[in-house]
């Protein structure tokens, strides 16, 4: 569904290569987490995967990017976006501004695609309910809290039902309950066959939902594997990505963690390990 | 500063399709400027604008805002035009005099300005700007214009808030609010710089967000919001259009004086 | 109609209105007011429609930000009590980065939004705002934004044109009066010396507009200089006409 072949990228008018020689294939219906320190190139990667690089940002791309069977470079942007959604980092800038209520804001993308009104209404209602923002439907999107705006931004993409959904730190301003809601919704999308790429700092929640984790450091893909191996890796702390509380607890427990057992990244793994290690 | 002119309401005019109200406003303005007769703008004011404002429950606000926008202008108008007009004085007061022509001219201009401003305030008081835009798009205005107007209206408050926080930060750092015009311009620079640069640096992200929502798509758009309309309103809009064009033609050809 | 044809038609309507008012001297009481109002209204609607049609999505997203800059900076200038409007900095920035059409659209719509949100009496001046945007775009095309003194001079010239364009509205619609007692008194004084109302508002405009626009263009120049080069080069218009001197301005972020 998403395929990068030795992709490198440099922004226009800048000397540094921001993404270097990245190759990976994400099959349909996989939920992939992307972790990396600030400035690693995560946002840039998200824009490559959704076609805004090079279509909006220009710059120099080498290598190939294929999304949903289409070469990103050779497909016009309007065609690309009909099947790829991007939720970008700052929810304030994600709001269209064209609409004065949350419900209309959610419908904006559907209007542009020419979706018939009846279907539009039912999709908007479903999204409002799914993200538990139905009570905000008539409010102005600009009078919401950052977290609520983030939910609206996510909803405005979900409602378009793209086959590939890329989200750039979509829960940064949400409380744990709100983030939980988003993670659950993304899990459901995966079950429906949507390919999800999720850039996220909340490692513990990521470990619960992701099928696979990419670790991006200095524009290089340093690790690519299941959460239990990537998130438990020692290097993560050195790269400034941090580790889950469960991994940290097992490391701190030192000899109490069963010898030879992989470090835990979820509550269940930690509980099982400590139960085994207990005298 | 920016007003929220619109207040929700249930009056007849509130329930009109926004394009009908807009047509009424434009027809009023054009008619008021079409003739030299003083009675015409006065009649429009007394028999159309004011009753419409009464019906929609905005009469007091209309008067208050008319006074606010036009009272100083009208006073100046009478002083300047009353005193400076070229023909012989009506009243000789030594160095200055009151001229009949000037007074007539000032009265006519004042009445026209009252209709111009009153008609538009009536529109703004009874029509939500978002609905006005949606209705205009339904009547063929390019959606880009609707986007431009709505988006600006919504980001201005956020920018203003940022301006205030930059201002506060600079006050906290001990930057004095300087005296004198040059000093004040200088004081603006550290404020305007970060504000504008910050705003412009967000343009890319906004462009991406719009493209992601298929804003660049060439498909025929549909509309989520349906704005009520009626055959009677459609007929009245067409008649107002005909009246407006007729008035312009008659006035330009000198039939109406 | 094609976009370019709309812009051309709008410009012709505005110019024809102006020429008619200058040549026919219909007087403020007669048809002058209606012709000025209707001609300028139709002209700015046509220019606005044509200009918006031509815009790419990235120019379209620049414009609300540019308009917000106009409004917020204009209000700040007002609040600090300096004798300048400074309410068209965003128009100049949009024109220079994204071209005359973007500048014109920014100008017309700024007036519309001022009208919708703050003061409806300002709307008849939309044509002047469009003129400033078009001028900024053309000046950028000719390289006027590569050196500060050229930008300042361009502002001065734009101000002269603005004064000429807005004079009929000031005279025929507003009877030579503005909310500012100072400028109104100047107009009155010119009339007292025998100038017609139209001539008086033209002269008054020539006293204030060129200064304001010189400052506006200079401020816009400084702001554009401070933008990262990659941002300035993002706009096809700025790249195509090499609006900015290369190697000037800060790099990176
Ligand atoms: N539009 C741009 N033009 C030039 N350089 C850019 C641009 N956007 C980002 N960069 C640079 O590219 C590098 C990667 O940035 P990116 O935003 O992709 O990192 P990130 O991993 O998303 O960081 P964060 O966690 O802070 O969001 C950084 O060094 C940044 O300075
Ligand atoms: Mg980022």
């Amino acid at each position: 569904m998403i395929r990068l072949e030795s992709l490198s990228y440099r922004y226009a008018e800048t000397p540094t290569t921001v993404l270097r020689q990245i190759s990976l294939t994400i099959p349909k219906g996989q939920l992939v987490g992307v972790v990396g320190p600030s400035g690693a190139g995560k946002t840039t990667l998200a824009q490559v995967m959704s076609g805004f690089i090079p279509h909006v940002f220009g710059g120099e791309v080498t290598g190939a990017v294929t999304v949903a069977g289409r070469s990103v470079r050779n497909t016009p942007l309007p065609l690309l976006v009909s099947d790829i959604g991007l939720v970008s980092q700052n929810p304030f800038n994600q709001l269209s501004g064209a609409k004065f209520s949350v419900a209309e804001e959610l419908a904006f993308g559907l209007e542009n695609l020419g979706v018939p009104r009846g279907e539009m209404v039912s999709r908007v209602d479903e999204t409002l309910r799914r993200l538990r923002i139905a009570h905000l439907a008539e409010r102005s999107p600009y009078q919401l809290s950052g977290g609520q705006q983030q939910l609206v931004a996510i909803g405005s993409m979900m409602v378009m039902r793209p086959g590939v959904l890329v989200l750039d730190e979509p829960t940064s301003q949400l409380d744990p309950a709100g983030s939980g809601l988003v993670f659950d919704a993304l899990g459901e999308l995966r079950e429906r066959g949507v390919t999800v790429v999720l850039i996220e700092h909340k490692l513990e929640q990521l470990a619960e939902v992701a099928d696979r984790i990419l670790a991006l450091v200095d524009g290089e893909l340093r690790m690519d594997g299941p959460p239990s191996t990537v998130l438990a890796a020692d290097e993560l702390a050195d790269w400034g990505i941090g580790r889950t509380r469960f991994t940290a607890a097992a490391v701190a427990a030192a000899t109490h963690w069963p010898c030879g057992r992989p470090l835990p990244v979820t509550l269940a793994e930690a509980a099982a390990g400590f139960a085994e290690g207990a005298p | 500063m920016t007003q929220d002119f619109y207040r929700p309401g249930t009056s007849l005019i509130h329930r009109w399709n926004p394009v009908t109200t807009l047509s009424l406003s434009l027809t009023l303005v054009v008619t008021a400027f079409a003739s030299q007769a003083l009675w015409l703008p006065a009649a429009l004011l007394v028999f159309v604008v004011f009753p419409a404002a009464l019906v929609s429950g905005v009469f007091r606000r209309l008067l208050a805002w008319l006074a606010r926008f036009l009272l100083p202008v009208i006073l100046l108008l009478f002083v300047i035009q009353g005193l400076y007009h070229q023909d012989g004085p009506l009243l000789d007061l030594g160095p200055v005099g009151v001229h009949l022509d000037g007074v007539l001219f000032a009265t006519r201009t004042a009445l026209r300005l009252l209709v111009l401003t009153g008609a538009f305030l009536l529109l703004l008081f009874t029509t939500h700007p978002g609905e006005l835009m949606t209705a205009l798009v339904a009547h063929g205005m390019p959606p880009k214009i609707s986007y431009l107007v709505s988006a600006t209206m919504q980001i201005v408050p956020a920018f203003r808030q940022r301006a205030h926080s930059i201002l506060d930060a600079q006050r906290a750092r001990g930057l004095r609010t300087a005296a004198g015009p040059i000093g004040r311009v200088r004081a603006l620079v550290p404020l305007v710089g970060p504000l504008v640069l910050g705003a412009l640096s967000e343009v890319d992200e906004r462009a991406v967000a719009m493209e992601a929502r298929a804003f660049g798509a060439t498909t025929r758009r549909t509309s989520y919001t349906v704005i009520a309309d009626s055959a009677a309103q459609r007929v009245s809009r067409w008649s107002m259009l005909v009246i407006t064009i007729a008035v312009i033609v008659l006035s330009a050809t000198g039939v109406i004086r | 109609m094609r976009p370019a044809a709309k812009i051309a038609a709008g410009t012709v309507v505005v110019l024809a209105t102006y020429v008619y008012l200058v040549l026919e001297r219909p007087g403020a009481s007669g048809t002058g007011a209606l012709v000025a109002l209707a001609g300028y209204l139709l002209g700015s609607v046509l220019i606005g429609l044509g200009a918006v049609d031509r815009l790419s999505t990235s120019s379209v997203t620049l414009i609300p930000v540019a308009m917000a800059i106009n409004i917020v900076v204009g209000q700040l200038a007002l609040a600090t009590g300096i004798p300048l409007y400074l309410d068209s900095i965003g128009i100049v920035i949009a024109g220079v980065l994204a071209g005359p059409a973007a500048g014109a659209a920014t100008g017309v719509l700024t007036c519309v939004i001022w009208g919708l949100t703050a003061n409806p009496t300002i709307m008849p001046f939309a044509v002047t705002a469009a003129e400033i945007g078009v001028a900024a775009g053309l000046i950028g095309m000719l390289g006027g934004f590569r050196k500060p003194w050229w930008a300042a001079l361009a502002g001065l010239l734009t101000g002269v044109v603005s004064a000429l364009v807005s004079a009929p509205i000031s005279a025929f619609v507003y009877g030579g009066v503005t909310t500012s007692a100072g400028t109104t008194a100047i107009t009155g004084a010119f009339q007292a010396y025998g100038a017609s109302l139209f001539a008086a508002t033209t002269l008054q405009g020539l006293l204030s507009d060129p200064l304001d626009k010189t400052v506006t263009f200079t401020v816009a120049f400084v702001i554009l200089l401070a933008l990262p080069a990659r941002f300035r080069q993002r706009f096809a218009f700025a790249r195509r006409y090499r609006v900015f001197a290369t190697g000037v301005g800060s790099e990176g972020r």
Side-chain angles (χ1 to χ4, degrees):
Chain A
M1 201 69 193
I2 302 178
R3 182 193 210 98
L4 310 187
E5 286 162 77
S6 28
L7 171 105
S8 297
Y9 178 70
R10 196 164 59 77
Y11 278 103
E13 311 273 323
T14 58
T16 40
T17 307
V18 179
L19 295 176
R20 302 159 200 259
Q21 295 289 327
I22 297 185
S23 296
L24 56 86
T25 303
I26 301 175
K28 178 172 152 59
Q30 199 169 56
L31 197 164
V32 180
V34 179
V35 297
S38 184
K42 304 183 296 295
T43 297
T44 311
L45 183 66
Q47 275 155 357
V48 166
M49 288 178 167
S50 46
F52 295 105
I53 286 174
H55 286 290
V56 172
F57 287 94
E60 190 184 302
V61 187
T62 56
V65 183
T66 319
V67 181
R70 294 188 179 115
S71 154
V72 162
R73 194 191 322 229
N74 302 329
T75 313
L77 196 54
L79 210 62
L80 280 179
V81 299
S82 64
D83 207 32
I84 310 174
L86 173 68
V87 177
S88 57
Q89 219 163 344
N90 180 346
F92 175 80
N93 290 333
Q94 179 95 352
L95 298 175
S96 72
K99 302 295 177 181
F100 289 79
S101 77
V102 168
E104 290 174 295
E105 175 71 24
L106 291 185
F108 181 66
L110 302 179
E111 291 184 332
N112 292 331
L113 290 175
V115 172
R117 181 160 186 280
E119 183 176 349
M120 196 145 56
V121 172
S122 72
R123 281 209 220 172
V124 167
D125 284 348
E126 181 201 315
T127 310
L128 285 170
R129 265 185 281 115
R130 184 63 195 87
L131 294 175
R132 307 228 179 99
I133 48 176
H135 60 292
L136 304 176
E138 296 308 318
R139 293 265 299 276
S140 159
Y142 286 85
Q143 277 153 16
L144 305 178
S145 71
Q148 290 169 328
Q149 285 182 345
Q150 222 154 16
L151 290 175
V152 173
I154 296 166
S156 69
M157 277 294 126
M158 278 173 46
V159 79
M160 293 172 77
R161 302 206 178 140
V164 175
L165 183 58
V166 182
L167 305 100
D168 193 355
E169 302 186 29
T171 68
S172 57
Q173 299 180 39
L174 283 166
D175 58 12
S179 321
L181 208 64
V182 172
F183 281 101
D184 288 349
L186 295 178
E188 269 172 36
L189 289 183
R190 174 211 13 220
E191 302 314 320
R192 282 197 232 142
V194 178
T195 311
V196 180
V197 177
L198 175 60
I199 298 171
E200 190 49 77
H201 286 302
K202 293 177 178 152
L203 302 183
E204 284 157 26
Q205 280 163 304
L206 201 55
E208 298 280 353
V209 294
D211 302 312
R212 174 179 170 191
I213 302 285
L214 311 176
L216 194 67
V217 181
D218 281 339
E220 288 173 9
L221 184 59
R222 295 279 172 86
M223 275 194 174
D224 177 357
S228 51
T229 48
V230 176
L231 292 179
D234 283 339
E235 296 93 323
L236 242 56
D238 305 336
W239 293 335
I241 298 172
R243 45 172 42 138
T244 69
R245 281 179 300 165
F246 312 119
T247 320
V251 171
T255 53
H256 295 289
W257 185 256
C259 185
R261 191 182 176 96
L263 290 172
V265 297
T266 63
L267 179 61
E269 286 168 12
F274 282 117
E276 190 188 313
Chain B
M1 300 285 137
T2 311
Q3 319 299 336
D4 272 324
F5 285 124
Y6 172 72
R7 301 277 158 76
T10 52
S11 79
L12 179 68
I13 297 182
H14 279 91
R15 279 179 283 128
W16 273 356
N17 186 304
V19 182
T20 310
T21 325
L22 177 66
S23 311
L24 176 65
S25 299
L26 288 174
T27 310
L28 284 170
V29 172
V30 167
T31 318
F33 277 83
S35 152
Q36 298 198 42
L38 291 182
W39 63 265
L40 184 64
L44 291 175
L45 206 57
V46 175
F47 295 114
V48 185
V49 177
F50 288 168
L54 277 170
V55 166
S56 43
V58 297
F59 186 60
R60 293 174 64 129
R61 282 176 67 215
L62 183 80
L63 289 186
W65 281 99
L66 279 178
R68 186 165 161 184
F69 286 134
L70 292 181
L71 206 54
V73 174
I74 291 176
L75 287 178
L76 278 170
L77 194 60
F78 275 96
V79 172
I80 299 288
Q81 297 306 337
L83 297 184
Y84 285 126
H85 228 78
Q86 286 161 29
D87 312 305
L90 187 69
L91 238 178
D92 216 338
L93 305 171
V96 292
V98 177
H99 302 253
L100 178 60
D101 256 18
V103 172
L104 273 180
F105 175 75
T107 312
R108 183 181 304 119
T109 307
L111 284 170
R112 285 172 173 180
L113 287 178
L114 282 169
V115 176
L116 173 85
T117 315
F120 270 99
L121 283 174
L122 186 66
L123 171 73
L124 300 183
F125 285 155
T126 57
T127 314
H128 188 282
E131 278 186 15
L132 177 61
M133 290 300 135
T134 311
L136 284 171
V137 170
H139 282 81
M141 185 180 80
K144 274 184 196 164
I145 293 186
S146 156
Y147 160 73
L148 291 173
V149 172
S150 308
T152 308
M153 290 179 66
Q154 302 205 67
I155 60 180
V156 162
F159 279 21
R160 193 175 297 127
Q161 218 161 22
R162 277 188 223 170
H164 284 303
S165 44
I166 296 174
L167 203 63
D168 289 345
Q170 278 163 354
R171 288 222 182 93
R173 289 212 320 263
L175 240 103
R176 280 183 309 119
T177 339
I182 305 234
R184 293 207 205 106
V185 174
R186 280 240 192 90
L188 266 185
V189 172
L191 175 57
V192 169
L195 182 73
V196 171
L197 294 182
L200 288 176
S201 66
E202 286 170 13
V203 169
D204 276 348
E205 210 175 310
R206 304 182 72 88
V208 165
M210 293 304 283
E211 294 282 12
R213 314 268 298 273
F215 191 61
T218 46
T219 32
R220 198 176 172 75
R221 296 175 80 264
T222 45
S223 177
Y224 177 79
T225 322
V226 188
I227 297 201
D229 204 358
S230 65
Q233 288 189 57
R234 238 167 276 137
V235 171
S236 67
R237 282 199 300 268
W238 279 109
S239 357
M240 286 191 278
L241 183 67
V242 171
I243 293 175
T244 307
I245 293 174
V247 163
I248 293 178
V249 170
L250 291 179
S251 169
T253 52
V255 177
I256 306 181
R257 302 217 128 254
Chain C
M1 254 198 283
R2 304 238 327 280
K6 281 184 208 153
I7 297 181
T11 312
V12 168
V13 170
V14 170
L15 288 178
T17 308
Y18 187 79
V19 169
Y20 169 80
L21 293 171
V22 171
L23 293 183
E24 291 291 311
R25 304 183 179 279
S29 318
T31 47
L34 183 65
V35 170
L37 199 64
Y40 274 20
L41 180 70
L42 181 65
S44 41
V45 167
L46 282 172
I47 293 174
L49 285 175
V52 165
D53 265 359
R54 290 175 67 93
L55 299 175
S56 68
T57 303
S58 68
S59 308
V60 169
T61 39
L62 169 68
I63 291 177
V65 173
M67 294 199 277
I69 291 170
N70 284 332
I71 293 173
V72 174
V73 176
Q75 288 175 344
L76 280 172
L78 203 66
T80 48
I82 54 172
L84 298 168
Y85 303 117
L86 296 186
D87 53 2
S88 33
I89 292 176
I91 302 180
V92 177
I93 291 176
V96 171
L97 285 175
T106 310
V108 172
L109 292 173
T110 300
C111 275
V112 171
I113 289 165
W114 266 114
L116 288 176
T117 59
N119 184 350
T121 60
I122 213 162
M123 282 203 257
F125 290 101
V127 167
T128 315
E131 175 263 326
I132 295 167
V134 171
L138 294 177
I139 289 159
M141 235 157 149
L142 297 174
F145 271 81
R146 293 189 198 135
K147 292 278 188 301
W149 48 88
W150 290 352
L153 182 67
L156 189 79
L157 293 176
T158 307
V160 172
V161 181
S162 301
L164 297 180
V165 174
S166 49
I169 296 288
S170 310
F172 299 135
V173 178
Y174 288 97
V177 173
T178 67
T179 38
S180 142
T183 56
T184 309
I186 294 173
T187 308
F190 281 126
Q191 277 186 276
Y193 282 105
S196 74
L197 182 55
F198 188 8
T201 55
T202 306
L203 290 171
Q204 184 278 320
L206 286 174
L207 282 183
S208 67
D209 279 357
L211 174 66
D212 183 58
K213 297 304 170 280
T214 306
V215 176
T216 299
F217 273 60
T218 311
V219 172
F221 177 85
V222 172
I223 288 172
L224 290 165
L225 190 72
L227 285 177
R230 64 176 171 78
F231 183 83
R232 285 188 261 144
Q233 302 303 340
R234 275 266 292 102
F235 293 89
F237 173 81
R239 280 200 307 272
R240 163 123 63 95
Y241 294 99
R242 287 192 278 123
V243 166
F244 300 101
T246 41
V248 184
S250 52
E251 197 66 48
R253 41 204 266 163

